[in-house]
Structure formats: structure tokens, C-alpha cells
Amino acid sequence: DFGALVRSRRSVRQFTGGPLPDGCLQRAAELAAHSPSACNRSGARVWVAHDAALRERVLRLQDGHQGYADQASAIAVITANTAVFHTGGERNQAWIDGGLFAMTFIYALHEQGLGCCCLNWAVTPAVDRAFKRLTGLPAHEAVVMLLAIGVPPEHYTVAHSPRRPLSEVLQTLEPAR
């Protein structure tokens, strides 16, 4: 039931530190590959850091995860290949397509009982270049976001994030007068 899946997903900020189940990232990536994209270009990718030392160096550049992401079993980097977009009018499409891909990847992780927390990538161009040097990401890959991924403990705390009422979310367009 998609509704139950969506309503039950939460950002997980506590992890056991245990290994991820075999094949879980492959399943999530395979499902995310079915996400919508502009003109079906499918330029989004997920790159995963399993190595503890690399995860630590990556997280130092992200700088918004204190207290939980270092417990994750993996750090995923969602990117979009900017080379698949050709005009100035498509300048933001990489982040839209990457966001759709990330959403599907997140739901696919949740469906498997894994936890994750979105880590923003609000950095300067210099930090972005340093990140790409550190990880070997090609220059044409736009970093959309990072995800801390892990096995959640049986009981964990989640932040209370009230959702806006439907009357504020669903709006009707009217012709301009």
C-alpha cells in the first residue's frame, strides 16, 4: 500500500552501525531508475561510500549531520548528469530529476526496513570541487544531496514534523483576470 509506505517513512537519525543487508542498495537503485525524468533522459545516479574513512571525509565537507550520520553504514551521493541537458532553459532540470530519483530511492530503502536521513548539499563551489576531487566524481555530475543510510534500531526517536493541512497544499489555478 503506497499510502501506508509514504505515511510511515521518517527521517532516521539513529542507526545500529551494522552492515546493510545484501542487495538492498541494488534493489533501491533499480527501483529509483524507474523515476520520471525530463524527456526520459534518466541522468540521475547514486554513488555509495561504504568505507568508514571516506564516509568521515565526505561528512566533513557536508557539515550538517552532527550527531548521527557518522553512525550510518553508508553515505549515498545522489547526482544528476548535467551533460544530458542541452539548453539554458534546462539549467535546473538536473536537480528536479535528481530529486525525483532521490525520493524513489528513499522510499525503496524504507520499503526494505532501512533508515535514511537526507543531508543537504548547500555548499560553495569550492567545497563542491573539493568533494569531487576527494571522491573522483566527474565534473558533469551535479551533487543533488547526500543520504545517511543504515539499519535503524528497534526503537528510535524521530523529530515531530507536522505537515501542512491539505487546504494549504492542494490549490486550484484560476485564469488571470
Side-chain angles (χ1 to χ4, degrees), residues 112-171:
Q112 297 178 79
L114 296 173
C116 69
C117 189
C118 299
L119 306 174
N120 71 48
W121 191 244
V123 300
T124 65
V127 171
D128 194 70
R129 286 188 299 274
F131 180 81
K132 288 178 179 177
R133 281 192 304 273
L134 170 67
T135 61
L137 278 178
H140 64 267
E141 293 291 329
V143 177
V144 176
M145 67 185 317
L146 278 60
L147 288 171
I149 304 170
V151 177
E154 187 174 337
H155 301 286
Y156 56 93
T157 305
V158 294
H160 176 67
S161 301
R163 304 300 186 211
R164 294 183 2 225
L166 183 59
S167 62
E168 291 181 22
V169 175
L170 181 61
Q171 303 289 311

Side-chain angles (χ1 to χ4, degrees), residues 63-86:
D63 194 33
H65 64 278
Q66 286 74 16
Y68 62 92
D70 55 336
Q71 302 168 17
S73 300
I75 300 296
V77 182
I78 307 295
T79 67
N81 179 355
T82 59
V84 302
F85 304 107
H86 308 290

Side-chain angles (χ1 to χ4, degrees), residues 5-169:
L5 180 80
V6 170
R7 288 182 188 94
S8 66
R9 194 215 60 83
R10 301 287 184 268
S11 291
V12 175
R13 293 177 176 88
Q14 297 165 323
F15 305 100
T16 65
L20 298 175
D22 289 342
C24 67
L25 296 175
Q26 290 85 346
R27 174 171 166 70
E30 191 276 325
L31 291 170
H34 290 276
S35 300
S37 63
C39 301
N40 295 318
R41 293 183 188 150
S42 302
R45 293 177 184 32
V46 59
W47 308 73
V48 182
H50 298 280
D51 177 75
L54 178 58
R55 289 192 324 254
E56 180 183 328
R57 292 174 71 192
V58 162
L59 289 172
R60 269 189 257 146
L61 291 171
Q62 190 272 335
D63 194 33
H65 64 278
Q66 286 74 16
Y68 62 92
D70 55 336
Q71 302 168 17
S73 300
I75 300 296
V77 182
I78 307 295
T79 67
N81 179 355
T82 59
V84 302
F85 304 107
H86 308 290
T87 69
E90 296 178 316
R91 68 188 174 282
N92 297 319
Q93 199 61 49
W95 288 271
I96 295 167
D97 287 5
L100 291 167
F101 179 94
M103 181 183 69
T104 306
F105 189 72
I106 290 165
Y107 282 135
L109 292 170
H110 176 59
E111 183 258 340
Q112 297 178 79
L114 296 173
C116 69
C117 189
C118 299
L119 306 174
N120 71 48
W121 191 244
V123 300
T124 65
V127 171
D128 194 70
R129 286 188 299 274
F131 180 81
K132 288 178 179 177
R133 281 192 304 273
L134 170 67
T135 61
L137 278 178
H140 64 267
E141 293 291 329
V143 177
V144 176
M145 67 185 317
L146 278 60
L147 288 171
I149 304 170
V151 177
E154 187 174 337
H155 301 286
Y156 56 93
T157 305
V158 294
H160 176 67
S161 301
R163 304 300 186 211
R164 294 183 2 225
L166 183 59
S167 62
E168 291 181 22
V169 175

